[in-house]
């Protein structure tokens, strides 16, 4: 008998009422924070059968506690631009949950960053990190600073000012930030330098995503994109399908997208499109990744310039249109809510078979509904993009042990972790009566590990 068969109907009804009640409380306590509400709603709805089965979680107010961050830090980040003008940005760090390890999660530098964005990301991170099976809690941070068009010197002055405040709250055993949108190797390098200068010693484990020459892990750069493709590959293989000869659309052209494209191509797929925040390119011959890497990682230019090297390709302004390109597999790797209900319907009408969310929360709740109702294989972000943070945790392990594993060793561990996440999510979905629904499966599997740790640690 599965857990689902043991659950009584009246307990399900009561659990739903309870979950709805706590959700209303979260909305009231965090007014106007729509992204945070959306992330909470997705998790909460998945947990109804868990609350119906296990009264201990309600009795101990796990839901009320898990949706309230342990701590939120906001701070002023003043810095001087190249013209000598003083600029002021806002810095954030949300230390959401430390039940299973030090807070862990990236820093995002993007003009859209506000409390709602950081809280949704931090909340997601709790369950994602739990799914990896490693000892990492959930946190997230960032700033509304826009790195686009800034000189290296401006980025350095900003990140140094940011770390001058943030350093007070982080540490290798306390809170370990990493990158996210707008924060890559350059920014992590500057921030590590400033942290080390202020705090002394060589606290390598305070940040992950460091350069491999000074404590970073091999394969960390590739990990989120590779991990996403490994995860989708598991979903496909379970249904007798594969990446080979499939047509793939990948949104974005940052770190996640680039390595998702690379791995998908290695597995025999033809990736025909990618994008940046201005628009997208369509190359029917298959994207030339070298050109994308040169443009985005070396020259820091717009994706439109791809056409200079490949005049046969096409460029379209705006981002949503990328989902009108017929494909077998779609990998949204750009940003939150980039696939809405309408785009999801177009993808389905064009015969999409699988979605792997490389970005955080790239599909709206309505879009997810469309995919699940149409039996599209759907790899939700918490599971499909967990490879990045999982490899960050492997970087922390190497820093603690003062040794470095080879690329192959780290990649093999990452691959195994992604397979485990897939298996655990499938199992939880089956047990709780939602076969094939990896949204429910990953949310439940991620939740139970954290909730049990919270129970064990008492009311804190
Ligand atoms: N920003 C990434 C994420 O969303 C990575 C976080 C990390 O490595 O700590 O999971």
């Amino acid at each position: 008998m599965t857990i689902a068969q043991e659950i009584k109907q009246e307990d399900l009804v009561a659990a739903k009422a309870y979950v709805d009640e706590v959700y209303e409380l979260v909305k009231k306590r965090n007014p106007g924070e729509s992204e945070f509400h959306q992330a909470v709603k997705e998790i909460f709805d998945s947990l109804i059968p868990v609350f119906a089965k296990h009264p201990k979680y309600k009795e101990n107010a796990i839901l009320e506690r898990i949706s309230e961050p342990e701590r939120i830090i906001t701070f002023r980040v003043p810095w001087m631009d190249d013209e000598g003008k003083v600029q002021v940005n806002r810095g954030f760090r949300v230390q959401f949950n430390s039940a299973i390890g030090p807070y862990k999660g990236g820093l995002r530098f993007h003009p859209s960053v506000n409390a709602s964005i950081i809280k949704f990301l931090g909340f997601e991170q709790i369950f994602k990190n739990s799914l990896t099976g490693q000892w990492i809690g959930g946190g997230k941070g960032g700033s509304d600073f826009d790195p686009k068009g800034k000189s290296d010197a401006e980025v350095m002055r900003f990140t140094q000012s940011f770390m001058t405040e943030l350093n007070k709250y982080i540490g290798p055993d306390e809170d370990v930030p990493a990158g996210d949108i707008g924060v890559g190797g350059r920014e992590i390098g500057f921030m590590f330098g400033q942290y080390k200068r202020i705090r002394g010693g060589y606290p390598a484990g305070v940040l992950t995503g460091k350069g491999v020459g000074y404590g970073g892990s091999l394969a960390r750069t590739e990990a989120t994109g590779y991990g996403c493709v490994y995860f989708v590959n598991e979903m496909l293989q379970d249904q007798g399908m594969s990446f080979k000869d499939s047509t793939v659309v990948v949104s974005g052209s940052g770190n996640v997208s680039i390595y998702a494209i690379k791995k998908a191509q290695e597995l025999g797929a033809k990736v025909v499109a990618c994008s940046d925040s201005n628009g997208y390119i369509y190359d029917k011959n298959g994207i030339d990744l070298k050109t994308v890497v040169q443009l985005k990682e070396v020259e820091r230019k717009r994706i439109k310039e791809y056409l200079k090297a490949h005049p046969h390709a096409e460029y379209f302004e705006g981002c949503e249109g990328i989902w009108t390109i017929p494909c077998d597999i779609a990998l949204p790797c750009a940003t939150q809510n980039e696939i809405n209900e309408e785009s999801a319907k177009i993808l389905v009408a064009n015969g999409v078979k699988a979605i792997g969310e490389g970005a955080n929360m790239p599909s709206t709740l309505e879009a997810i509904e469309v995919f699940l109702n149409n039996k599209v294989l759907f790899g939700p972000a918490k599971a499909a993009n967990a490879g990045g943070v999982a490899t960050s945790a492997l970087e922390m392990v190497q820093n603690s042990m003062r040794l470095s594993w080879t690329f192959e060793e780290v990649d093999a561990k990452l691959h195994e972790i992604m397979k485990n996440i897939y298996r655990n999510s499938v199992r939880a979905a089956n047990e709780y009566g939602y076969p094939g629904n990896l949204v429910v499966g990953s949310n439940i599997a991620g939740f139970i590990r954290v909730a049990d740790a919270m129970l064990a640690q008492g009311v804190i």
Side-chain angles (χ1 to χ4, degrees):
M1 196 146 95
T2 65
I3 292 175
Q5 288 160 337
E6 290 167 13
I7 298 173
K8 292 196 211 86
Q9 191 56 34
E10 68 248 41
D11 290 340
L12 264 184
V13 173
K16 183 173 179 339
Y18 165 64
V19 163
D20 287 347
E21 187 190 314
V22 182
Y23 176 62
E24 287 308 315
L25 216 108
V26 170
K27 279 208 296 191
K28 209 168 139 205
R29 191 175 267 163
N30 303 277
E33 298 184 349
S34 60
E35 294 86 0
F36 180 49
H37 300 167
Q38 182 184 339
V40 169
K41 176 92 181 127
E42 188 213 287
I43 296 259
F44 276 22
D45 284 351
S46 300
L47 297 177
I48 292 168
V50 178
F51 280 83
K53 171 70 187 157
H54 304 287
K56 60 184 177 183
Y57 296 131
K58 181 182 170 188
E59 285 157 15
N60 287 279
I62 295 293
L63 213 50
E64 290 89 332
R65 284 195 275 152
I66 212 166
S67 53
E68 181 65 20
E70 289 176 20
R71 192 172 300 104
I72 302 180
I73 301 137
T74 64
F75 51 94
R76 178 169 70 204
V77 190
W79 57 283
M80 204 174 272
D81 68 19
D82 286 347
E83 271 74 58
K85 192 163 173 277
V86 176
Q87 302 282 348
V88 180
N89 286 99
R90 181 175 287 177
F92 295 89
R93 188 72 183 164
V94 176
Q95 299 182 329
F96 225 118
N97 193 296
S98 60
I100 60 169
Y103 309 106
K104 181 84 196 87
L107 298 170
R108 175 176 291 192
F109 292 168
H110 192 270
S112 65
V113 162
N114 56 32
S116 173
I117 299 277
I118 298 299
K119 278 156 81 177
F120 113 66
L121 290 164
F123 188 66
E124 293 272 298
Q125 205 81 42
I126 303 171
F127 307 95
K128 181 197 312 198
N129 295 4
S130 164
L131 276 174
T132 69
Q134 294 155 307
W135 306 112
I136 39 179
K140 201 87 188 191
S143 173
D144 56 3
F145 173 74
D146 186 1
K148 214 183 290 163
K150 302 287 190 300
S151 69
D152 284 352
E154 287 177 320
V155 170
M156 183 168 75
R157 286 195 295 275
F158 169 79
T159 49
Q160 287 179 339
S161 177
F162 183 83
M163 187 51 86
T164 301
E165 183 62 26
L166 185 69
N167 91 86
K168 299 170 190 166
Y169 313 100
I170 63 174
D173 293 317
E174 293 152 10
D175 183 352
V176 183
D180 196 85
I181 294 173
V183 178
R186 173 181 61 170
E187 292 74 17
I188 294 291
F190 293 151
M191 284 192 276
F192 181 65
Q194 185 71 352
Y195 183 87
K196 187 163 66 67
R197 184 180 188 198
I198 296 172
R199 303 284 291 258
Y202 203 90
V206 68
L207 289 166
T208 60
K210 299 181 293 297
V212 288
Y214 65 91
S217 173
L218 286 161
R220 174 62 189 90
T221 313
E222 292 81 354
T224 316
Y226 278 20
C228 181
V229 171
Y230 291 151
F231 189 90
V232 173
N233 206 30
E234 292 300 305
M235 298 198 299
L236 293 170
Q237 280 179 356
D238 248 3
Q239 306 300 321
M241 297 187 265
S242 79
F243 270 96
K244 187 140 187 26
D245 299 326
S246 62
T247 300
V248 179
V249 167
V250 181
S251 62
S253 49
N255 170 263
V256 182
S257 316
I258 285 172
Y259 293 101
I261 295 173
K262 185 161 183 226
K263 188 50 80 179
Q265 289 178 338
E266 274 175 28
L267 295 181
K270 189 196 217 183
V271 181
V272 293
C274 70
S275 61
D276 63 16
S277 54
N278 288 43
Y280 66 96
I281 50 161
Y282 172 67
D283 187 338
K284 63 177 183 340
N285 299 341
I287 296 284
D288 173 32
L289 191 56
K290 277 207 190 82
T291 306
V292 176
V293 171
Q294 176 67 22
L295 280 175
K296 301 310 281 190
E297 299 217 309
V298 184
E299 298 172 21
R300 296 183 193 272
K301 287 199 176 135
R302 308 311 296 165
I303 199 72
K304 192 180 184 171
E305 308 263 325
Y306 180 91
L307 267 57
K308 282 196 183 145
H310 303 278
H312 64 273
E314 293 171 80
Y315 174 76
F316 300 89
E317 279 293 328
C319 298
E320 259 177 43
I322 197 169
W323 307 119
T324 63
I325 300 171
C327 61
D328 303 305
I329 300 164
L331 305 178
C333 296
T335 194
Q336 66 272 356
N337 291 332
E338 55 172 309
I339 303 185
N340 59 18
E341 185 176 9
E342 199 190 319
S343 297
K345 283 182 177 160
I346 296 171
L347 279 161
V348 169
N350 284 335
V352 74
K353 294 178 189 71
I355 311 283
E357 294 192 317
N360 286 311
M361 207 168 77
S363 311
T364 63
L365 292 171
E366 296 77 20
I368 296 176
E369 195 82 13
V370 171
F371 294 134
L372 295 178
N373 288 343
N374 286 281
K375 303 270 174 284
V376 174
L377 301 175
F378 184 75
K382 268 177 234 87
N385 79 27
V389 75
T391 308
S392 275
L394 297 177
E395 182 171 328
M396 290 162 71
V397 172
Q398 292 168 80
N399 291 153
S400 296
M401 294 167 80
R402 296 173 187 274
L403 53 75
S404 318
W405 292 321
T406 64
F407 187 96
E408 290 70 26
E409 280 173 294
V410 180
D411 189 37
K413 287 182 204 296
L414 164 66
H415 204 155
E416 205 44 48
I417 289 169
M418 297 315 294
K419 284 184 183 179
N420 280 334
I421 295 175
Y422 177 70
R423 275 190 228 115
N424 292 339
S425 303
V426 169
R427 190 179 314 124
N430 285 339
E431 279 177 350
Y432 281 90
Y434 290 83
N437 184 333
L438 296 179
V439 176
V440 169
S442 61
N443 285 340
I444 291 179
F447 171 79
I448 287 180
R449 185 168 173 233
V450 178
D452 286 347
M454 289 173 75
L455 283 183
Q457 292 167 22
V459 178
I460 54 166

